[in-house]
Amino acid sequence: MRLRDLVHPTPVDQFLQEIYGRTARLFPGDEHRFDGLVSWETLNALASWSNFAASQLRVSRAGDLVPRAAYMREVGSPQGDVVRTVLVPQLIEVLRDGATLIVDGIDRMHPPLDGLARRLERTLRERVQMNAYGTWGESKGFDSHWDDHDVIVLHIAGRKEWALFGPPRRAFPLEQDVEENPPPAADAERRALVLTPGDVLHIPRGWWHTVRAVEGPTLHLTVAVPRATGVDLAHWLADRLCEHEVFRADLPRHLGAREREDHRRELAATLAAVLDDAELMDRFFAERDACAAPRRRHSLAAV
């Protein structure tokens, strides 16, 4: 399975140029679209056998995280390691009460999802992470919120309503921002979509949304796609401005207004010349790709 299979019948180029990061879009699919990718059996096996990292397994109910001690036990091993065991009966009781089970980074634990993640990364040219969300009963795990990355939703089982509130009032909000991304206005348009097995939904960064299970149990995956912004380019560029003497020089704090203005003009002219390089963005992307942490794949039989 590849990106083209998720956005069919829309061509991949059209998706990347007209939809991706710009607008929400539903891509309906056959109920067997994700057969063999992930299932309830996958979650059963992970819950039974995995030693989850401290933040990898979460349970949310009515917008709040359930204390981990309610469904997980941490004990020390003779070697001094911390072993985390899911208390399945206790977990089931919490979930029956309308909670949502979240497995972060499930693509790192399940080979079919790791394969899909690799193919998506090759096409999108960005690092992705997949999380799984299982909900029992007609409930919501989180209050209305927005994400600081683009999201591609793969709906696996049950029926779930996604209420979308349109483009954010602050365009392209960031997690570390100088202003908040304000919630939707009282009269904001609300678009309700009910996802069924096989559906794919794309939600751009910053779009407020609410998710509610309407016929369970429900299971869906989210593909989180953090994308490079102009701020990332500026951070990358800052480390390279030391090539220029004017940027290495001390700022003229104790000189007069004329000297400070002359220095500012020289800084501005140098920066403008650097930004005027037509290949600047290509070099940024090339270095970003080269420095991306690889997805490891081993073959112990070949050792």
Side-chain angles (χ1 to χ4, degrees), residues 252-265:
R253 176 188 290 268
H254 301 292
L255 300 184
R258 178 184 293 277
E259 289 83 357
R260 289 199 300 270
E261 176 61 14
D262 289 344
H263 195 86
R264 184 198 66 79
R265 289 178 180 274

Side-chain angles (χ1 to χ4, degrees), residues 39-41 43-44 92 95-101 133-139 154-161 195-197 211-221:
S39 65
W40 291 115
E41 287 71 22
L43 292 188
N44 290 338
I92 291 174
L95 297 177
R96 282 176 176 169
D97 195 30
T100 294
L101 174 69
Y133 296 80
T135 303
W136 288 255
E138 297 185 9
S139 61
L154 282 61
H155 196 80
I156 308 299
R159 299 172 68 243
K160 187 165 287 186
E161 180 188 79
L195 271 61
T196 59
V211 187
R212 180 177 66 91
V214 295
E215 182 181 322
T218 68
L219 175 63
H220 77 268
L221 301 174

Side-chain angles (χ1 to χ4, degrees), residues 97-114:
D97 195 30
T100 294
L101 174 69
I102 306 112
V103 181
D104 292 328
I106 192 172
D107 51 307
R108 300 289 184 174
M109 297 179 275
H110 188 51
L113 294 180
D114 178 71

Side-chain angles (χ1 to χ4, degrees), residues 37-49:
L37 190 63
V38 67
S39 65
W40 291 115
E41 287 71 22
T42 304
L43 292 188
N44 290 338
L46 292 176
S48 299
W49 302 108

Side-chain angles (χ1 to χ4, degrees), residues 15-267:
F15 170 78
L16 294 177
Q17 296 169 14
E18 301 178 10
I19 300 171
Y20 182 44
R22 295 175 179 270
T23 187
R25 182 67 58 87
L26 175 65
F27 301 92
D30 180 83
E31 62 178 331
H32 299 293
R33 187 182 203 172
F34 302 127
D35 286 358
L37 190 63
V38 67
S39 65
W40 291 115
E41 287 71 22
T42 304
L43 292 188
N44 290 338
L46 292 176
S48 299
W49 302 108
S50 294
N51 178 23
F52 289 97
S55 61
Q56 205 164 17
L57 185 72
R58 296 178 290 147
V59 176
S60 177
R61 180 171 51 202
D64 297 317
L65 290 177
V66 176
R68 192 171 290 110
Y71 57 86
M72 184 178 288
R73 179 176 59 196
E74 297 186 359
V75 297
S77 71
Q79 293 76 28
D81 299 323
V82 175
V83 178
R84 299 176 180 86
T85 302
V86 177
L87 305 174
V88 177
Q90 289 89 329
L91 176 62
I92 291 174
E93 286 302 315
V94 174
L95 297 177
R96 282 176 176 169
D97 195 30
T100 294
L101 174 69
I102 306 112
V103 181
D104 292 328
I106 192 172
D107 51 307
R108 300 289 184 174
M109 297 179 275
H110 188 51
L113 294 180
D114 178 71
L116 174 58
R118 289 172 184 271
R119 291 186 286 274
L120 291 176
E121 287 177 346
R122 282 196 291 269
T123 302
L124 298 173
R125 306 296 294 275
E126 299 288 358
R127 202 71 167 145
V128 307
Q129 175 177 308
M130 294 185 182
N131 298 340
Y133 296 80
T135 303
W136 288 255
E138 297 185 9
S139 61
K140 64 179 181 179
F142 298 96
D143 291 329
S144 182
H145 66 283
W146 62 278
D147 297 302
D148 65 343
H149 49 261
D150 291 341
V151 176
I152 301 175
V153 180
L154 282 61
H155 196 80
I156 308 299
R159 299 172 68 243
K160 187 165 287 186
E161 180 188 79
W162 290 72
L164 309 179
F165 295 93
R169 296 161 67 185
R170 177 171 175 78
F172 306 111
L174 299 171
E175 182 179 18
Q176 302 295 329
D177 208 333
V178 296
E179 293 183 19
E180 296 288 338
N181 181 20
D187 59 348
E189 180 181 356
R190 178 182 182 273
R191 180 185 177 194
L193 302 171
V194 176
L195 271 61
T196 59
D199 289 346
V200 172
L201 175 64
H202 169 259
I203 306 175
R205 163 166 54 107
W207 282 49
W208 285 85
H209 56 276
T210 303
V211 187
R212 180 177 66 91
V214 295
E215 182 181 322
T218 68
L219 175 63
H220 77 268
L221 301 174
T222 60
V223 183
V225 191
R227 301 175 62 186
T229 68
V231 174
D232 296 311
L233 177 64
H235 284 303
W236 173 81
L237 188 60
D239 292 333
R240 284 144 190 84
L241 290 176
C242 59
E243 299 175 3
H244 303 276
E245 180 179 332
V246 67
F247 275 93
R248 297 196 308 272
D250 301 329
L251 295 176
R253 176 188 290 268
H254 301 292
L255 300 184
R258 178 184 293 277
E259 289 83 357
R260 289 199 300 270
E261 176 61 14
D262 289 344
H263 195 86
R264 184 198 66 79
R265 289 178 180 274
E266 188 176 358
L267 287 171

